[in-house]
Amino acid sequence: MNKPNRAWQIAAIAIFPVLVALLAVVYLDDPFQYLNYLREDSLVEWLTCACLALSGLIALDIGIRILRRDQQFQWFFFAFGLFCLLMAFEEISWGQRLFSLTSPEYFLGNSDQQEINVHNVLQQKLDFKTKDVAALVLSVYGVLMPLLALNRHVAALLQRVRVLVPPLYLIPGFLIASLLMFDIPTGFEEEIGEFLFGLCFLFFMLHELMARDMGLPTEADGPSGPGHEPLILLDRFVILALTVAAFGLHAWQLDAKGFWLPEANHAAAALAPPGEIIRHGWFSGTFERSGWLLLLGVWQPLVGSSEFALRLLSALATTAAVPLLWQTLKVALPNQVTLRLFATLL
């Protein structure tokens, strides 16, 4: 197996204290804004969800590719992938607040936060804090186990049962995340800890992807070079990360302000019969607006007329421009990976 280069390892080590330092600066400068980042459906929570989801998808992809290539069932990647995806959905209460879903009666009576998720039900039923269990288990797994695996007997045992442990350079990340689960100084630092755990998982799976030589292309490889196969990392995971990030930026606080007058006019006009919308657009010279109003007319009965619901359609349309631009540049600039990535990021 190959090993990720030293620059990658240094970046993986440095990113955790840097992120904590940035958040500490925000806390010292504006405690209200700091807490705003940590509340439900905030920037930190969505970043956590994105990291967990990407980690899960990468793990499942590695497991499937090993199964196809080597005819070996690596149960760890499938278990890890499903776990990460489950935690990603749990983190956002299975999209409950995103789609304004009302909690069923069971969750209202048995969940600590009265939301649709399992870990808060277990927390109330078994009278323990899930954050404490997560801190203990993940500190053992991410800090202690890699150190124990330095012993050849422990390493042989782990290899025999096909259990992977994170690389040594991720120990600082797991350690910092575990310490933040103590919720000092505001009582909400567990949200940062969960985000850093998700980031640790993402680095872990990217490490496995690179170590197994499963598609980390270089500029020199070209569309059919040795590292293409078929651009697994860039084509699937980097662009997925950019798309998720773009959607997060558009959806975050989408309903923080009330309707603007043009938005309210569009929402009301879209309720008219389709024939009337087309006729009015034709005779008023605003026919280009009719398509949008017709689309809104179909959208509103499905998702409602809240500010978030009506603006979500625009957010989805804008987000779709990210993968479309990537695919366009992939055809136009097949050998310029860095340029494509930079242009799509912008």
Side-chain angles (χ1 to χ4, degrees), residues 185-231:
T186 66
F188 294 95
E189 278 66 30
E190 66 184 91
E191 296 295 335
I192 306 174
E194 291 170 358
F195 165 49
L196 296 187
F197 278 135
L199 197 57
C200 285
F201 290 166
L202 183 57
F203 273 108
F204 181 22
M205 286 299 102
L206 289 174
H207 171 95
E208 290 298 321
L209 192 70
M210 288 184 284
R212 294 168 188 276
D213 195 20
M214 287 187 171
L216 187 64
T218 64
E219 294 286 331
D221 287 336
S224 58
H228 181 66
E229 197 204 21
L231 294 184

Side-chain angles (χ1 to χ4, degrees), residues 254-307:
L254 198 62
D255 56 351
K257 295 182 178 179
F259 279 133
W260 298 100
L261 183 59
E263 289 179 311
N265 287 338
H266 285 167
L271 298 176
E276 185 177 329
I277 292 175
I278 296 173
R279 189 164 48 252
H280 179 269
W282 180 262
F283 288 108
S284 65
T286 58
F287 193 70
E288 71 283 351
R289 194 182 68 162
S290 300
W292 176 248
L293 293 180
L294 290 171
L295 186 58
L296 275 180
V298 176
W299 180 259
Q300 286 191 72
L302 296 175
V303 299
S305 300
S306 67
E307 294 147 13

